[in-house]
Amino acid sequence: MSSTAGQVIRCKAAVAWEAGKPLVIEEVEVAPPQKMEVRLKILFTSLCHTDVYFWEAKGQTPLFPRIFGHEAGGIVESVGEGVTDLQPGDHVLPVFTGECKECRHCKSEESNMCDLLRINTDRGVMIGDGKSRFSKDGQPIHHFLGTSTFSEYTVTHVGCLAKINPAAPLETVCIVSCGISTGLGATLNVAKPTKGSTVAVFGLGAVGLAAAEGARLAGASRIIGVDLNPSRFEEAKKFGVTEFVNPKDHDKPVQEVLAGMTDGGVDRSVECTGNVNAMISAFECVHDGWGVAVLVGVPNKDDAFKTHPVNVLNERTLKGTFFGNYKPRSDIPSVVEKYMNKELELEKFITHRVPFSEINKAFDYMLRGEGLRCIISMEN
Ligand SMILES: NC(=O)c1ccc[n+]([C@@H]2O[C@H](COP(=O)([O-])OP(=O)(O)OC[C@H]3O[C@@H](n4cnc5c(N)ncnc54)[C@H](O)[C@@H]3O)[C@@H](O)[C@H]2O)c1
Ligand SMILES: [Zn+2]
Ligand SMILES: [Zn+2]
């Protein structure tokens, strides 16, 4: 047992006090883990666009003060009552959607939507007792996605932690904890392109480029990247994207442009933008008869998806996925192994690194559409 087990830990956390305002590094108290919970020391974390949407709180429910962060790697510090499969020192990746291993979803081969631990963006407390484990001078601070990794220590439910190979470098594999697995799984587990097929990827951030990587691994012969930001195209070439379309360069809808390039439509499309119009285009650009579109981007609270029903009657399939349909505890250790045995390259997704004290720079990069993933080191 570590010397801090059972005690409140005082440590640094980046607190979002208000929507859209820079995070403030504060000294906070982190309570010990309760029943079925684990307290971990975060070593590396990165920023995913989902953090930015809820921090901006423009199209999402505002909940402040809050500690954001859900893509990270850490080491177990102590465990609460009932936790048997993790112990202090284990290397773990926290995941925003969990796996209780007991519910119908966890027992189904098709679903990763655990009844107990599925993603809940509006909950800011632990599910066990409805309370927060974070406070500052007695004031509770909300959790985010059950992970809150922008803190030197955090508490999660045991079902939201994937135990990984301790030899895997956390400064690199931390990105498997959200974006990379999400994109890769959206293609490999959900869109399932066949060898030689054509795949369109909407949004060429880390999630979209991981989806492109999945298409490459599946043997797609054409991978068409769609983005509004032309600076994305240079980077995307490293990911096997063969053609690029910027909707701004055309005066007809992008789905028509893609249909023209592909004799009627792409075989598969994966949407990784969060923009509802891109979601509709991603659906309408797949070929009738067999095309499958997969939505990954997180929409605004009030968005509505509108398409003519005949687009569906014409034998197109629309799907969606959280976390690429991976079950965090059962499947993520093997995604890390794919990196360890060099099947999956992760370094090319990491374009920036900053110390924890400069975490707001990671937000600036993402808001400016610069680079892919920015790794934040907790120990400078
Ligand atoms: N479903 C899940 O499990 C899951 C998990 C992680 C992230 N996400 C979501 O995936 C999306 C991508 O995340 P990211 O971290 O890669 O973000 P990112 O900001 O790095 O990349 C998004 C890209 O989409 C492009 N884009 C935006 N609007 C567009 C449009 N209308 N048409 C074409 N391109 C457009 C942007 O220019 C950008 O390059 C976000 O919506 C994020 O919330 C979902
Ligand atoms: Zn994410
Ligand atoms: Zn479950």
Side-chain angles (χ1 to χ4, degrees):
M1 272 288 158
S2 63
S3 59
T4 43
Q7 296 173 25
V8 169
I9 290 182
R10 293 179 72 82
C11 69
K12 285 193 193 121
V15 179
W17 290 101
E18 275 180 73
K21 295 276 163 63
L23 308 186
V24 184
I25 306 277
E26 303 275 12
E27 187 160 286
V28 299
E29 292 96 45
V30 185
Q34 302 301 304
K35 197 171 170 187
M36 298 313 277
E37 294 174 0
V38 174
R39 188 163 59 184
L40 53 143
K41 186 177 198 313
I42 299 294
L43 271 70
F44 298 92
T45 183
S46 45
L47 183 66
C48 165
H49 214 129
T50 310
D51 295 303
V52 176
Y53 297 141
F54 286 84
W55 164 77
E56 287 179 318
K58 286 181 185 155
Q60 312 294 351
T61 313
L63 195 58
F64 296 92
R66 202 169 200 187
I67 296 174
F68 287 102
H70 64 280
E71 199 174 91
I75 297 182
V76 173
E77 175 268 339
S78 62
V79 302
E81 187 192 327
V83 174
T84 52
D85 55 354
L86 283 176
Q87 52 186 20
D90 283 343
H91 287 212
V92 288
L93 303 185
V95 179
F96 67 83
T97 193
E99 180 185 359
C100 77
K101 294 196 173 178
E102 278 158 26
C103 72
R104 278 197 303 166
H105 289 273
C106 287
K107 288 187 172 151
S108 153
E109 278 189 14
E110 291 174 311
S111 173
N112 70 343
M113 297 293 293
C114 174
D115 269 335
L116 182 69
L117 300 168
R118 69 170 61 179
I119 181 170
N120 182 333
T121 54
D122 292 345
R123 183 173 54 221
V125 292
M126 299 305 290
I127 51 168
D129 60 3
K131 292 190 182 140
S132 171
R133 302 283 171 265
F134 294 110
S135 59
K136 171 149 181 71
D137 306 325
Q139 177 187 6
I141 303 172
H142 291 107
H143 291 248
F144 180 60
L145 299 184
T147 52
S148 291
T149 60
F150 296 162
S151 175
E152 289 176 319
Y153 287 86
T154 189
V155 177
T156 76
H157 191 283
V158 64
C160 298
L161 292 175
K163 178 177 166 179
I164 61 157
N165 183 345
L170 289 173
E171 70 268 29
T172 308
V173 299
C174 60
I175 58 174
V176 170
S177 134
C178 176
I180 304 313
S181 304
T182 296
L184 194 69
T187 307
L188 293 178
N189 302 335
V190 190
K192 298 185 181 164
T194 53
K195 214 167 178 325
S197 58
T198 299
V199 179
V201 176
F202 284 69
L204 302 175
V207 177
L209 291 174
E213 195 73 349
R216 190 182 61 77
L217 291 174
S221 59
R222 292 176 72 187
I223 306 174
I224 307 175
V226 181
D227 204 299
L228 299 171
N229 175 355
S231 74
R232 290 297 197 204
F233 298 154
E234 217 28 62
E235 223 146 27
K237 287 183 188 154
K238 295 181 213 148
F239 294 81
V241 180
T242 55
E243 290 146 85
F244 298 96
V245 176
N246 189 337
K248 285 187 195 158
D249 295 343
H250 301 270
D251 47 20
K252 56 183 176 185
V254 66
Q255 49 272 50
E256 287 176 26
V257 177
L258 289 165
M261 289 165 70
T262 55
D263 192 19
V266 300
D267 302 309
R268 298 289 185 268
S269 76
V270 187
E271 176 280 327
C272 307
T273 69
N275 178 285
V276 70
N277 296 315
M279 294 179 191
I280 295 166
S281 302
F283 173 59
E284 294 182 353
C285 79
V286 300
H287 208 287
D288 56 9
W290 60 78
V292 178
V294 178
L295 306 188
V296 175
V298 173
N300 284 339
K301 218 166 52 151
D302 301 325
D303 280 340
F305 186 100
K306 186 166 176 271
T307 192
H308 196 281
V310 86
N311 292 326
V312 188
L313 295 176
N314 284 344
E315 303 178 4
R316 294 183 180 87
T317 304
L318 178 61
K319 293 184 170 193
T321 176
F322 276 114
F323 201 52
N325 274 35
Y326 285 119
K327 286 182 162 68
R329 296 160 94 181
S330 305
D331 301 332
I332 290 312
S334 65
V335 178
V336 169
E337 289 314 307
K338 272 194 209 296
Y339 167 73
M340 296 301 278
N341 63 32
K342 300 194 164 45
E343 263 175 83
L344 177 66
E345 227 183 277
L346 294 176
E347 284 80 3
K348 61 188 178 186
F349 289 97
I350 300 171
T351 51
H352 296 87
R353 288 185 181 272
V354 295
F356 190 36
S357 56
E358 294 175 18
I359 187 169
N360 289 302
K361 279 193 183 164
F363 283 71
D364 295 340
Y365 296 137
M366 184 153 279
L367 290 169
R368 291 202 298 260
E370 264 176 52
L372 299 171
R373 281 302 191 248
C374 176
I375 308 290
I376 299 148
S377 310
M378 306 310 284
E379 288 172 348
N380 292 329

